[in-house]
């Protein structure tokens, strides 16, 4: 093995994308194994690699870590993106969990039936505009710093820039009433590691298409 973390998931965003974002933002290179078939998935279950028979799986520092949040918090801790003390950590956890709730809606969107798409899109827009983005707009305005927590780049910043870009793909004008978030987006996009991740050819995955949805359904069907 190369010593780089090894990620096992499908060749698409899903639950792995935040992990790719966080590693990339930390400047860490990684390898990826893409599940294309049910047989491949069943084989890694048989091998005992998946504690709960679920991916994402990340092999790092001699461990096979599953559960998205466990992976993310390990990476955040290891690369110093998890605050300077328990209080900052609690703040980061709150921000991250809120953003994950919003991202969950985006994650499930491609799997919604055609007749529910419009309603689900409206819900994403409504929640982003009225519940989640106002929180971060206010935080940034109140402390006037570049980053969400402790005047230092953290996991919370990475989650937020990922979420902003993901919501914008669906609702392009979503930031129109959020000047602080507009400036935050520009700042984050210009951080060297993030800038690199946003460039073509990086491990960042495109928005899910029909082929991705079919592959997910095929691999995980009972
Ligand atoms: N709580 C887990 C959920 C993981 C999960 O649901 N993974 C899906 C793929 S995105 C899966 O492996 N599904 C197969 C199954 O649950 O049997 C996490 O956050 O990692």
């Amino acid at each position: 093995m190369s010593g780089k973390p090894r990620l096992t998931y499908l060749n698409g965003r899903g639950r792995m994308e935040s992990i790719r974002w966080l590693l990339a933002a930390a400047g860490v290179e990684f390898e990826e194994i893409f599940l294309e078939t049910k047989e491949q998935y069943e084989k890694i279950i048989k091998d005992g690699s998946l504690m709960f028979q679920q991916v994402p799986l990340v092999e790092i520092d001699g461990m096979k870590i599953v559960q998205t949040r466990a992976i993310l918090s390990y990476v955040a801790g290891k690369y110093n993106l998890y605050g300077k003390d328990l209080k900052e950590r609690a703040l980061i956890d709150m921000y991250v969990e809120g953003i994950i709730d919003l991202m969950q809606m985006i994650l499930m969107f491609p799997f919604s039936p055609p007749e529910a798409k419009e309603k689900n899109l409206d819900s994403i827009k409504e929640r982003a505009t009225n519940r989640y983005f106002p929180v971060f707009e206010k935080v940034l305005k109140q402390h006037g710093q570049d980053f969400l927590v402790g005047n230092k780049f953290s996991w919370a910043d990475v989650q937020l820039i990922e979420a902003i870009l993901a919501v914008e793909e669906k609702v392009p004008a979503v930031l129109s009433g959020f000047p602080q978030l507009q400036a935050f987006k520009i700042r984050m996009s210009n951080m060297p590691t993030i800038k690199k991740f946003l460039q073509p050819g990086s491990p960042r995955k495109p928005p899910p298409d029909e082929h991705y949805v079919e592959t997910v359904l095929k691999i995980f069907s009972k």
Side-chain angles (χ1 to χ4, degrees):
M1 234 174 108
S2 63
K4 293 179 188 169
R6 192 163 70 179
L7 281 45
T8 302
Y9 197 72
L10 288 83
N11 188 5
R13 288 185 183 174
R15 287 186 164 84
M16 189 63 99
E17 193 67 358
S18 296
I19 299 166
R20 297 185 185 105
W21 262 97
L22 192 59
L23 285 166
V28 180
E29 289 186 6
F30 50 87
E31 294 173 354
E32 296 204 68
I33 295 176
F34 297 127
L35 300 179
E36 310 277 357
T37 66
K38 199 170 180 59
E39 290 68 37
Q40 249 180 312
Y41 167 58
E42 284 170 348
K43 183 173 179 307
I44 53 170
I45 292 178
K46 236 190 186 149
D47 292 347
S49 296
L50 303 181
M51 186 181 282
F52 301 111
Q53 302 165 25
Q54 292 175 320
V55 286
L57 165 69
V58 172
E59 294 168 77
I60 182 169
D61 297 338
M63 293 183 292
K64 289 178 194 275
I65 317 186
V66 294
Q67 290 294 351
T68 313
R69 282 160 172 88
I71 298 164
L72 287 167
S73 62
Y74 184 80
V75 172
K78 180 174 165 88
Y79 295 103
N80 228 343
L81 297 167
Y82 210 174
K84 69 171 181 331
D85 55 27
L86 277 175
K87 286 188 175 172
E88 281 194 2
R89 213 164 132 162
L91 209 50
I92 291 170
D93 283 337
M94 284 196 283
Y95 293 162
V96 163
E97 289 296 326
I99 300 164
I100 288 177
D101 287 345
L102 172 63
M103 289 302 281
Q104 186 68 16
M105 298 169 81
I106 293 178
L107 189 83
M108 296 317 290
F109 182 78
F111 301 94
S112 38
E115 65 278 10
K117 284 248 186 305
E118 199 181 322
K119 183 170 154 278
N120 291 349
L121 189 60
D122 285 347
S123 304
I124 292 171
K125 185 177 173 190
E126 194 278 324
R127 280 294 155 87
T129 312
N130 298 324
R131 182 178 292 190
Y132 296 104
F133 287 177
V135 170
F136 303 110
E137 179 75 13
K138 190 170 160 198
V139 167
L140 291 167
K141 191 165 184 201
Q142 275 179 348
H143 66 31
Q145 296 164 356
D146 283 354
F147 306 106
L148 286 171
V149 179
N151 210 7
K152 186 171 177 282
F153 185 49
S154 80
W155 175 17
D157 299 306
V158 184
Q159 284 286 164
L160 182 57
I161 181 65
E162 180 193 359
I164 287 173
L165 297 179
V167 178
E168 274 191 329
E169 281 174 0
K170 307 214 156 312
V171 188
V174 71
L175 286 193
S176 58
F178 299 102
Q180 297 289 333
L181 293 185
Q182 289 172 25
F184 175 85
K185 178 185 147 185
I186 293 170
R187 275 197 306 279
M188 289 301 125
S189 305
N190 280 317
M191 292 201 50
T193 53
I194 291 183
K195 196 170 185 170
K196 192 171 163 203
F197 190 60
L198 292 175
Q199 265 152 25
S202 87
R204 185 176 181 224
K205 301 293 175 269
D209 59 10
E210 273 175 32
H211 173 72
Y212 176 72
V213 171
E214 274 170 29
T215 312
V216 171
L217 296 176
K218 185 181 73 186
I219 293 180
F220 299 121
S221 66
K222 297 285 174 244

